[in-house]
Amino acid sequence: MARANLGVLKGFKYYAPLNNTGFASPQPFFVASGYGTAIYPGDPLASVNDGTVAVTAAGTGAGSHAICSSIRQATVAGEVKRHGLKYLPASTTYSTGGESIVMGIPVQGNLFECVVTGTNASIAVARSAKFNNADHLLGTADTGLGLSGAAIDMSTAATTATLQWRIHRWMEELPSNDSTQENWIVLVYANVLNAVGGLPAVLGV
């Protein structure tokens, strides 16, 4: 009997530059006052036309600009906090000087590791997903640990150009990363970009 995958944490995590083109230094991004969705490290972020960012909606066609890496500051219970914030609570309001600011690693040119939901009938089936595209889902975050619930939804994997992420490869073929068990890990890069230059979304193979 196969062993379940252990030590799995959801959310997108920076892995390495893609073909030495990536820029991995986290950048600051403002979040609108009163924004109604909590933001966790590991959440994909999209730009908004007011100069802020929001969590990238799950689903075909919604591109990402960055992956949240940490929370820089937020006003909590009337106090501006700059340290120890595990996540940005939903509907956090502020006035000038106490803005909600998250740090994010740009998706353009970078590889990220991410948990996959769903299992495969065999390792061969999992290998065949390489170079295909898939959407993400947001799942349920862990407020206690401050962990994103984002994951790659392998049930969406296809050659469709508008799917959000390109599957670069299976992270490692190890007993602790068994693609026939739930929560295996792949390396992905953004197939649909948001508010950045670069190549357009492309078909999987």
Side-chain angles (χ1 to χ4, degrees):
M1 179 178 176
R3 185 179 71 181
N5 294 319
L6 302 176
V8 175
L9 301 177
K10 292 185 177 179
F12 291 84
K13 305 169 189 66
Y14 174 76
Y15 182 76
L18 177 66
N19 300 324
N20 297 317
T21 61
F23 182 63
S25 178
Q27 307 294 306
F29 297 98
F30 289 93
V31 179
S33 180
Y35 175 59
T37 301
I39 297 179
Y40 293 79
D43 280 347
L45 303 173
S47 61
V48 183
N49 60 10
D50 62 359
T52 65
V53 294
V55 176
T56 308
T60 299
S64 292
H65 183 85
I67 299 297
C68 179
S69 57
S70 64
I71 310 304
R72 179 168 175 174
Q73 76 170 39
T75 299
V76 180
E79 178 184 356
V80 180
K81 294 189 176 183
R82 298 182 174 87
H83 302 285
L85 287 165
K86 296 179 181 178
Y87 68 99
L88 178 67
S91 304
T92 297
T93 59
Y94 58 78
S95 55
T96 302
E99 291 88 348
S100 295
I101 303 174
V102 299
M103 303 299 290
I105 297 175
V107 298
Q108 187 179 29
N110 286 316
L111 277 173
F112 298 88
E113 62 176 271
C114 195
V115 167
V116 173
T117 62
T119 62
N120 295 283
S122 68
I123 290 176
V125 172
R127 288 176 180 161
S128 70
K130 184 176 181 179
F131 305 133
N132 275 324
N133 303 326
D135 281 334
H136 67 254
L137 52 80
L138 295 174
T140 301
D142 188 318
T143 57
L145 297 176
L147 296 176
S148 169
I152 296 296
D153 182 3
M154 193 55 72
S155 70
T156 66
T159 60
T160 310
T162 52
L163 292 165
Q164 295 167 305
W165 303 92
R166 168 61 59 89
I167 299 167
H168 182 65
R169 65 177 173 86
W170 194 354
M171 179 67 173
E172 290 179 300
E173 297 186 19
L174 298 172
S176 59
N177 191 28
D178 184 350
S179 65
T180 66
Q181 302 294 306
E182 189 76 21
N183 295 326
W184 51 294
I185 300 172
V186 293
L187 295 179
V188 300
Y189 57 90
N191 188 55
V192 182
L193 297 172
N194 166 258
V196 293
L199 298 174
V202 293
L203 296 174
V205 297

